[in-house]
Amino acid sequence: MKQYKILGTLLLASGFFMVTTVVHADQQKGAAMYRVYNKNSGEHFYTKNAQEKANLLKLGWKDEGTGWFAPDAGTPVYRVYNKNSGDHHYTMSRGEKDSLVKIGWKY
């Protein structure tokens, strides 16, 4: 039984190290997508707008650096906001975005 525990731990640790990568800004192309965290709601928020990030930091959100680099071309990702719940929703579907805007979400 101990052999399986050790093997499982090694496999888990190996998997962790295989998917963990340090990314440096000078190695990436595209827009930096900033990641901030709200400890009160547990929400992670992503934006490429540095001013929007700065405003959230002033409100007490925690800066978590760059989440990823968005490509300069490809399928757009739409972001809508529900002022009643405080929820942000991200989608690649224009139809879904338009439907949510029609029922009161802000684009």
Side-chain angles (χ1 to χ4, degrees), residues 17 47 51-52 55 59 61 67 69 81 83 85 87 92 98 101 103 107:
F17 289 114
T47 182
Q51 186 59 51
E52 184 174 34
N55 290 339
L59 294 173
W61 290 62
F69 290 83
Y81 174 71
K83 67 180 180 179
S85 68
D87 188 37
M92 294 189 311
D98 291 343
V101 168
I103 62 170
Y107 175 59

Side-chain angles (χ1 to χ4, degrees), residues 38-98:
N38 183 325
K39 66 179 179 180
N40 297 315
S41 68
E43 180 182 13
H44 287 94
F45 180 75
Y46 302 91
T47 182
K48 69 177 183 177
N49 184 311
Q51 186 59 51
E52 184 174 34
K53 173 187 147 187
N55 290 339
L56 291 171
L57 295 178
K58 287 178 187 175
L59 294 173
W61 290 62
K62 180 182 177 203
D63 186 352
E64 293 190 326
T66 301
W68 73 88
F69 290 83
D72 293 325
T75 304
V77 176
Y78 304 100
R79 183 182 87 196
V80 291
Y81 174 71
N82 183 322
K83 67 180 180 179
N84 296 315
S85 68
D87 188 37
H88 290 91
H89 181 69
Y90 303 85
T91 182
M92 294 189 311
S93 168
R94 181 181 293 216
E96 182 178 24
K97 183 262 301 178
D98 291 343

Side-chain angles (χ1 to χ4, degrees), residues 1-10:
M1 187 67 163
K2 283 188 177 183
Q3 291 175 339
Y4 293 113
K5 277 187 176 178
I6 293 171
L7 180 59
T9 302
L10 289 173

Side-chain angles (χ1 to χ4, degrees), residues 11-26:
L11 288 173
L12 181 61
S14 299
F16 175 75
F17 289 114
M18 289 170 44
V19 298
T20 303
T21 307
V22 174
V23 178
H24 299 282
D26 59 345

